[in-house]
Amino acid sequence: MKRVVSSSLLLLFTLIVVAAGLYYFQRYYGITSGKAINAIPADAAFLFEADVSSGIINGISKAPYWKELQGNKFFQKINNSLIFFDSLTRNKDDFKKLFAQEKLIISAHVIKANEFDFLFLIHLPVPDQEDYADEIIKKLSGAEEDVVTRSYGDVDIKELPMKNGSTFTYAVSKNIFIGSMTAFLVEDAIRQQKVSAKSFGKDKFFINIHEKTVAEKSNQLFINYRNIPGWLSLFTDGGRQDNFNDMDHFASWSVLHPDINENGIYSEGTSFANDSSSFLFHFIAQQPVSMNVFKILPGKTAAVMAVGISNSDVFFKSHKKYLDKSGDAPANKSLLAKIKTTYSFSAEEKFYDISGNEFAMAITAPSSVNYENNAYFILKTSNTAKAKKMLQSLTLLIDRKQNEKTMQEKYNNFSIGFIRLQGLIPALYGDAFKKVNKMYYTFVGDYVVFANQAGSLRMFIDNLLVENSLAKNETFKSIALRTPAEANYFLYCKNPVNNYFLKSALSGLWTHRVDSAKNYLNKWDAFAFSVASKNKNLQTSCLLQFNSKIISSEVSLSWTAQLDTSISMKPQVVNNSDGKNHLLLIQDDAGNLNLISNSGTIIWKKSIPGKIISDIFTLDLYKNNSSEFIFNTATDLFMLDMNGNNVSNYPIHLPATATNGLVMADYGNMNDYTVYIACSNGKIYGYEGSGKPLAGWNFNNTTGTIHQSVQLFTVKGKNYLAASDNAGTVFILDPTGQIAVNVKEKIIRRSNVKFWLEEYPENNFSFVTFDTTGAVVNISMEGKVKRQTDESLLSFDNFILANADGDSIPDYIFSGNNRMAAYTNLLTLIYDVSTEGAATGRLEKYQLKNNKTVFGINSADFNKLFLFNTNGKLVKGFPVKGSTPITIDELNNDGKFYLIAGSGDGNVYVYSLE
């Protein structure tokens, strides 16, 4: 894409200069007028008429989003051409006259799978001066090759090889200059002039639109909805194209007049719908509505499409004609007929009767391309009491027919109901709402909110209770100032490049292209499109907003999953077999182990006898690109496959009660696994991944019990295992179980504290921990022990090693007793901050992208999760709901991190950290 677009931009300015040169010959020749639109191939989805005299070039060159591209040499060259050409248009009288008279037309066309290019056309009110054109084009393009001429019918087509290996093709036909980087587009344009009956210039509806709008503003963008599905097919995989098949029925045309400014590109104009097959046609008889749905939508809504109607009776009677012509109309009609036959009621009468003047589709920030659990249909009711009674009666009726029983769930004073019908919402309101296929519902004031699962509604309610609404979101508020939500149709998309709502539609190639440029594209932080019917005119506005400021990371609830009962276990992120996405494994307090997708769907659950006391490790036991999961309870080692089935001879009964969780090593990353686990008899046991006892391993400890998990370390290429017992004996072993570092002094660690590997100064390694006497203990690689203590440390329970002051020297971080404090490695205080409400949890360290470190604390007593920056300040948006130890990891292998935790209310909470 970059090659096509960049080359086209450069040629745009070249073509204008050519036209200017030819203008000098006008005084000697009289030329009849021609229309450039007659040459535009009929597959064009977009046409842009540029009036160079309007100052659009100067506006582009000064825009901050253009300036940010100037670090690239190619864009520097284009910018120089911009500045040069702009000076000509301002200082040369003949140029001014020409550009006041003629417009440059740019049309966009699909040229092959995943690629598009532009066609440039301008009427030349002078005779054909091709030699002069050749000379100017060659000079401005910097090409050194000669122009190659070939005949296409009665027209000479010129081809100029460029320095970058591409070829610019151009011709003058019927007084129209035609050029493109794609040769067959030029041929198509010439051929189109001869088949004028199919051209835009002969389309009476388009001509009428063009004549109405041409005098309004100087620069115009024409959107041809009939060709939008073909255009969008460029960016999508075949299986995802059905998302856009009905776009050709959205309207006939929109004409927008772009205004380029430092905050983005704002456009106003008019949309046109010439018959009832167009969606917007059914708003012509409506009046704009002040939409209030944004006040109940979550602040981190990724996309919303809202509809406002002033007269619902008139609208739904008219809208039915549009539904009857949609691609899914036969299936929808069949569903409605089946409901009427089976349950003896008309779904259309029931739902249209309770429909008020707003309905909307919202997608909250999804964590994967599967966003069904983040999709909501919101309907404003005309009478809330009547709507509640109607929906409850439908639940009872359908349950009775299906021999089912649905109990309304109470959640934070909201009732969640369920109607056992699928596909009814899109059948009644349109295919745009087909992501909400099921009918879990709750009422929020006058609005009824539908979702695909009860957990989605709980998440919606949680956002509502913290008053984190879209209407209060700063980005949305800035959009609403320019694109008011008093309308009949309103589309909003937050940070479109960086959310999975967009990626769910993109092909793999375009996903890669977008990701490769996302540092720049992410600054285009929002898009809005609004249509308001006024005096039977569909007034349209569009805003693409640019924000050059770096937006600080915020936390937002992505999704929840409801388990059978309360949760105490730390969620575990495990690898999926496809290597593209991750899964969650978490055991509830009833003993059920749940495998959950990265979008919140529970894939399976399996009863595990006993509480899981270890982390869950992913391995590929058979080296066949599959995934297995290994963990332990107090009595057994378990290994499950992707379907939740036991693997090989697992479970393996342990020779004694495990006193801690297993740790797994894969030395050399060869998928040759070793498992270590300590038991109540004082031994550390070693197993191969297959479950066989580890050959050559024989470790016995008779001084005490090892309660904390064995830890793995690598120092200067050597592997070590570290553990200690409750008698204070420290064991630093090699992979065979032999003592590698002889530590003679006793060290009794605090229960929540690990060993940490400290390197200071460079290449000088030691193991550091925090003991029950309140001392920081360093163990050298020679087994020497050094203790540092301070009276202020006695009240702390937790200890981690991290950098708190920005230098290269590791610091000591402590928490406990409603405080978190950071000290240098010489115990000089860096900061001491209050952590009120986070006193009961365990302090953990996490690495985010760009090596950013954060500290997390979970509070089971307060059902809150805290995340701190290394400077001791709470991360924006925290605390959030949750009670188990925190997991922070990717879910999609895309560099985006999520915070995951369980809760005593039985929910798994997944928060986006960006």
Side-chain angles (χ1 to χ4, degrees):
M1 181 185 70
K2 184 182 290 185
R3 178 194 65 80
V4 173
V5 175
S6 300
S7 300
S8 299
L9 285 171
L10 183 58
L11 263 298
L12 185 157
F13 306 116
T14 302
L15 292 174
I16 298 175
V17 172
V18 171
L22 294 174
Y23 179 72
Y24 284 111
F25 294 89
Q26 186 177 15
R27 67 190 67 183
Y28 303 112
Y29 299 91
I31 300 296
T32 58
S33 178
K35 291 185 177 181
I37 57 174
N38 289 337
I40 301 172
D43 67 337
F46 303 96
L47 314 176
F48 183 63
E49 283 190 343
D51 182 351
V52 179
S53 65
S54 68
I56 187 172
I57 295 175
N58 188 51
I60 292 172
S61 64
K62 291 183 176 180
Y65 37 88
W66 178 257
K67 291 181 179 179
E68 288 206 19
L69 296 174
Q70 298 312 300
N72 181 285
K73 291 183 179 180
F74 188 82
F75 283 101
Q76 285 180 358
K77 184 176 180 181
I78 294 176
N79 192 58
N80 291 336
S81 298
L82 274 172
I83 295 171
F84 169 72
F85 181 72
D86 190 53
S87 67
L88 292 180
T89 61
R90 286 185 288 105
N91 299 322
K92 299 291 185 180
D93 290 339
D94 288 338
F95 279 34
K96 288 181 181 179
K97 291 178 182 178
L98 175 63
F99 297 126
Q101 179 181 343
E102 302 295 339
K103 289 185 177 181
L104 178 73
I105 295 180
I106 308 167
S107 59
H109 304 267
V110 178
I111 57 172
K112 61 180 180 179
N114 297 309
E115 297 291 350
F116 65 92
D117 203 351
F118 298 102
L119 187 66
F120 300 97
L121 307 102
I122 189 169
H123 171 245
L124 301 179
V126 295
D128 183 5
Q129 298 294 327
E130 295 184 358
D131 291 341
Y132 181 80
D134 294 344
E135 180 182 349
I136 296 297
I137 288 178
K138 189 172 181 180
K139 180 178 180 181
L140 293 180
S141 66
E144 298 177 354
E145 304 293 330
D146 291 332
V147 172
V148 177
T149 302
R150 60 182 175 87
S151 296
Y152 184 76
D154 57 352
V155 178
D156 286 340
I157 292 180
K158 307 295 183 70
E159 295 178 338
L160 178 64
M162 310 291 287
K163 285 184 176 180
N164 63 2
S166 59
T167 299
F168 176 59
T169 302
Y170 63 96
V172 178
S173 175
K174 295 187 177 181
N175 302 319
I176 305 300
F177 189 101
I178 305 167
S180 177
M181 298 299 296
T182 300
F184 72 77
L185 286 182
V186 176
E187 297 172 2
D188 286 351
I190 296 170
R191 187 166 55 250
Q192 188 66 55
Q193 288 179 310
K194 299 178 180 180
V195 191
S196 58
K198 295 182 179 180
S199 71
F200 294 116
K202 295 296 182 180
D203 183 329
K204 292 183 179 179
F205 189 71
F206 175 75
I207 291 173
N208 184 44
I209 293 170
H210 193 266
E211 289 177 350
K212 283 182 178 180
T213 59
V214 70
E216 294 179 11
K217 299 271 183 170
S218 54
N219 298 293
Q220 297 186 112
L221 173 66
F222 293 84
I223 303 173
N224 180 11
Y225 291 99
R226 180 183 60 194
N227 292 337
I228 287 290
W231 171 263
L232 292 176
S233 68
L234 281 169
F235 311 101
T236 63
D237 287 327
R240 298 171 179 172
Q241 180 59 25
D242 64 340
N243 293 323
F244 307 110
N245 285 340
D246 286 336
M247 280 292 294
D248 57 345
H249 294 297
F250 179 75
S252 301
W253 290 84
S254 287
V255 185
L256 301 172
H257 311 294
D259 172 28
I260 297 172
N261 57 68
E262 63 178 13
N263 296 318
I265 302 173
Y266 177 70
S267 302
E268 289 183 329
T270 308
S271 292
F272 300 88
N274 60 341
D275 59 50
S276 62
S277 65
S278 294
F279 176 68
L280 292 187
F281 177 86
H282 307 283
F283 296 100
I284 294 174
Q286 301 290 318
Q287 296 297 317
V289 171
S290 294
M291 298 185 196
N292 294 311
V293 67
F294 310 113
K295 295 178 181 179
I296 70 165
L297 293 180
K300 279 294 188 175
T301 297
V304 58
M305 183 190 72
V307 172
I309 49 179
S310 58
N311 188 320
S312 59
D313 290 338
V314 171
F315 175 80
F316 286 117
K317 287 178 183 177
S318 176
H319 186 243
K320 192 175 183 300
K321 297 177 182 178
Y322 167 75
L323 295 179
D324 289 343
K325 296 179 181 180
S326 72
D328 291 337
N332 291 336
K333 288 181 178 180
S334 176
L335 174 64
L336 295 173
K338 182 179 179 180
I339 290 172
K340 192 168 188 177
T341 301
T342 305
Y343 304 108
S344 302
F345 72 87
S346 168
E348 293 165 297
E349 291 178 4
K350 291 282 188 183
F351 279 85
Y352 292 161
D353 184 48
I354 66 166
S355 295
N357 63 354
E358 294 176 65
F359 59 93
M361 172 78 171
I363 309 294
T364 57
S367 58
S368 75
V369 295
N370 301 311
Y371 58 86
E372 286 82 359
N373 293 337
N374 297 82
Y376 302 90
F377 173 71
I378 304 99
L379 175 68
K380 188 173 184 181
T381 60
S382 56
N383 184 313
T384 305
K386 182 179 179 180
K388 286 182 179 180
K389 185 177 180 180
M390 187 274 286
L391 294 178
Q392 290 169 0
S393 67
L394 289 187
T395 296
L396 292 173
L397 170 63
I398 294 166
D399 278 359
R400 188 167 58 250
K401 287 283 189 178
Q402 296 185 10
N403 196 26
E404 297 281 356
K405 187 174 182 180
T406 300
M407 299 295 294
Q408 279 207 343
E409 174 189 343
K410 290 291 185 180
Y411 182 77
N412 287 336
N413 296 320
F414 287 82
S415 294
I416 297 176
F418 178 48
I419 300 173
R420 297 178 185 275
L421 292 175
Q422 292 195 33
L424 180 57
I425 290 172
L428 293 174
Y429 295 94
D431 292 342
F433 305 97
K434 61 186 175 183
K435 284 296 181 181
V436 185
N437 195 42
K438 297 181 181 179
M439 299 186 72
Y440 289 90
Y441 69 89
T442 192
F443 278 84
V444 180
D446 294 335
Y447 296 88
V448 55
V449 182
F450 292 91
N452 290 313
Q453 63 171 14
S456 298
L457 292 176
R458 296 186 203 103
M459 180 174 68
F460 193 98
I461 292 166
D462 287 337
N463 278 282
L464 190 70
L465 292 176
V466 297
E467 299 182 349
N468 179 25
S469 72
L470 180 61
K472 294 181 179 180
N473 180 272
E474 293 301 323
T475 299
F476 183 82
K477 287 195 294 186
S478 66
I479 283 283
L481 289 175
R482 297 295 303 274
T483 314
E486 183 174 345
N488 299 107
Y489 178 86
F490 190 91
L491 176 66
Y492 166 80
C493 189
K494 172 73 173 74
N495 201 4
V497 170
N498 200 37
N499 74 57
Y500 289 103
F501 173 64
L502 173 68
K503 291 183 178 180
S504 69
L506 291 179
S507 66
L509 175 62
W510 278 97
T511 296
H512 173 74
R513 287 175 171 176
V514 166
D515 283 342
S516 65
K518 67 180 181 181
N519 288 338
Y520 173 74
L521 294 176
N522 279 342
K523 295 179 181 180
W524 294 91
D525 68 343
F527 169 80
F529 184 89
S530 176
V531 179
S533 177
K534 296 181 180 180
N535 300 320
K536 295 188 176 183
N537 287 320
L538 297 172
Q539 296 182 7
T540 304
S541 60
C542 179
L543 176 61
L544 187 56
Q545 182 167 283
F546 184 80
N547 188 348
S548 61
K549 298 178 181 178
I550 298 175
I551 302 174
S552 59
S553 296
E554 296 183 7
V555 63
S556 64
L557 185 61
S558 288
W559 54 263
T560 65
Q562 176 73 48
L563 305 190
D564 290 343
T565 185
S566 58
I567 306 168
S568 303
M569 178 186 177
K570 178 181 179 179
Q572 304 290 306
V573 175
V574 295
N575 295 330
N576 198 350
S577 295
D578 62 12
K580 296 179 181 179
N581 301 304
H582 296 302
L583 305 168
L584 298 182
L585 274 170
I586 187 167
Q587 185 185 39
D588 61 32
D589 290 340
N592 295 313
L593 181 63
N594 299 265
L595 182 69
I596 306 173
S597 75
N598 61 359
S599 60
T601 300
I602 298 176
I603 300 170
W604 53 252
K605 66 179 179 180
K606 179 183 178 70
S607 179
I608 302 296
K611 180 180 180 180
I612 297 173
I613 61 174
S614 70
D615 288 341
I616 299 177
F617 295 88
T618 305
L619 63 161
D620 182 2
L621 181 64
Y622 301 108
K623 301 181 181 181
N624 60 354
N625 294 320
S626 66
S627 290
E628 291 83 32
F629 313 119
I630 188 169
F631 53 90
N632 73 280
T633 63
T635 58
D636 296 274
L637 286 176
F638 290 84
M639 186 181 293
L640 305 180
D641 63 17
M642 286 292 300
N643 297 315
N645 300 316
N646 291 321
V647 174
S648 185
N649 59 335
Y650 287 88
I652 297 171
H653 192 68
L654 294 168
T657 301
T659 53
N660 50 49
L662 66 84
V663 65
M664 186 183 76
D666 179 15
Y667 299 119
N669 296 316
M670 300 296 292
N671 292 353
D672 294 322
Y673 305 100
T674 306
V675 173
Y676 305 99
I677 186 170
C679 292
S680 58
N681 59 4
K683 294 183 179 181
I684 299 175
Y685 290 91
Y687 295 89
E688 295 178 1
S690 64
K692 295 179 180 179
L694 183 63
W697 175 268
N698 186 19
F699 174 85
N700 292 284
N701 166 40
T702 58
T703 61
T705 304
I706 299 173
H707 289 289
Q708 292 139 307
S709 295
V710 177
Q711 293 178 250
L712 305 176
F713 295 95
T714 300
V715 180
K716 297 181 179 180
K718 293 184 178 181
N719 298 310
Y720 297 88
L721 289 80
S724 67
D725 62 24
N726 59 357
T729 305
V730 176
F731 307 97
I732 300 178
L733 313 172
D734 67 17
T736 69
Q738 300 298 313
I739 298 294
V741 177
N742 189 11
V743 184
K744 295 181 180 181
E745 293 190 35
K746 298 292 185 181
I747 302 168
I748 302 177
R749 290 185 285 163
R750 301 207 173 198
S751 59
N752 288 333
V753 174
K754 302 177 182 179
F755 286 112
W756 296 85
L757 186 64
E758 182 176 23
E759 182 185 4
Y760 183 77
E762 187 176 358
N763 290 320
N764 185 21
F765 292 91
S766 64
F767 299 97
V768 59
T769 190
F770 185 48
D771 74 7
T772 55
T773 70
V776 177
V777 184
N778 288 76
I779 305 169
S780 73
M781 299 306 295
E782 292 76 34
K784 295 180 180 180
V785 175
K786 182 181 74 172
R787 285 181 166 86
Q788 296 183 85
T789 187
D790 188 282
E791 185 177 348
S792 63
L793 305 183
L794 292 173
S795 60
F796 293 121
D797 301 313
N798 298 281
F799 168 81
I800 59 176
L801 189 71
N803 194 303
D805 54 9
D807 60 16
S808 60
I809 303 172
D811 302 308
Y812 300 154
I813 318 298
F814 303 87
S815 74
N817 195 29
N818 291 318
R819 293 164 54 217
M820 183 170 69
Y823 292 79
T824 69
N825 63 352
L826 298 177
L827 294 189
T828 301
L829 182 65
I830 301 172
Y831 61 76
D832 189 336
V833 297
S834 171
T835 59
E836 187 70 35
T840 60
R842 192 165 104 188
L843 180 68
E844 295 188 82
K845 181 174 77 169
Y846 305 93
Q847 293 293 127
L848 305 182
K849 67 179 182 180
N850 300 323
N851 293 319
K852 180 181 179 180
T853 301
V854 292
F855 308 141
I857 300 177
N858 67 293
S859 176
D861 291 347
F862 293 94
N863 194 32
K864 290 182 180 180
L865 308 173
F866 297 80
L867 207 63
F868 296 91
N869 290 309
T870 54
N871 61 7
K873 294 182 179 180
L874 203 62
V875 173
K876 186 177 181 180
F878 282 88
V880 295
K881 185 181 290 188
S883 61
T884 70
I886 295 168
T887 292
I888 294 180
D889 209 334
E890 296 182 61
L891 292 179
N892 305 285
N893 286 333
D894 61 356
K896 187 172 184 178
F897 283 82
Y898 296 84
L899 183 149
I900 309 152
S903 175
D905 61 15
N907 278 299
V908 179
Y909 292 96
V910 178
Y911 299 92
S912 170
L913 294 179
E914 301 179 11

